[in-house]
Amino acid sequence: MIIDYKTIEEQTELKFKGGNGELVTRNFVDDKNKIMMSYLKPGANIGYHQHELNSEIIYILSGEGHFEYDGTIEKVKAGDVHYCPMGHSHAFYNDGDSNLSYFAIVGEHH
């Protein structure tokens, strides 16, 4: 199966998961996975949240930022991969002056 993000409607989420600013995303969702092509605008963040019944893998395409992961800070840049296993928590911040683009997969484990 090919997922063509050009055919998926772009959505803007304000203060996603209790964060600040704008998240712009195109999402493919079925009962097992949420597969996202997204970006955080400069200064935006995704709020701190726990992955109770799923896990998330995030590949940074462009930009720079950081994750707060289980209370520690992890800086990221293009080419880095962040993994948040089930039962763990994270928040995601765009620290740069340009969009922070990423590809993410949230796999359901229930």
Side-chain angles (χ1 to χ4, degrees):
M1 168 193 288
I2 301 296
I3 300 170
D4 182 359
Y5 284 98
K6 294 184 294 292
T7 66
I8 297 174
E9 183 178 343
E10 187 174 88
Q11 301 172 12
T12 299
E13 303 278 350
L14 298 175
K15 301 182 178 184
F16 189 66
K17 302 274 186 188
N20 294 305
E22 293 183 40
L23 164 68
V24 180
T25 187
R26 294 174 190 262
N27 302 328
F28 172 85
V29 180
D30 65 15
D31 62 336
K32 300 291 182 193
N33 294 287
K34 183 176 183 181
I35 306 171
M36 301 164 281
M37 186 71 69
S38 309
Y39 63 89
L40 284 169
K41 292 198 173 182
N45 75 289
I46 296 170
Y48 197 76
H49 61 282
Q50 184 177 31
H51 283 266
E52 295 177 3
L53 298 173
N54 55 35
S55 59
E56 185 169 18
I57 300 166
I58 300 174
Y59 178 75
I60 309 301
L61 298 168
S62 66
E64 56 186 43
H66 75 273
F67 285 90
E68 181 181 348
Y69 172 70
D70 287 345
T72 64
I73 302 298
E74 301 176 341
K75 292 192 177 286
V76 290
K77 62 185 179 325
D80 290 340
V81 176
H82 168 77
Y83 175 49
C84 187
M86 185 172 67
H88 293 263
S89 300
H90 66 168
F92 187 19
Y93 298 81
N94 180 351
D95 298 329
D97 295 329
S98 60
N99 292 336
L100 194 163
S101 300
Y102 63 95
F103 176 77
I105 300 170
V106 176
E108 297 296 334
H109 301 296
H110 52 86

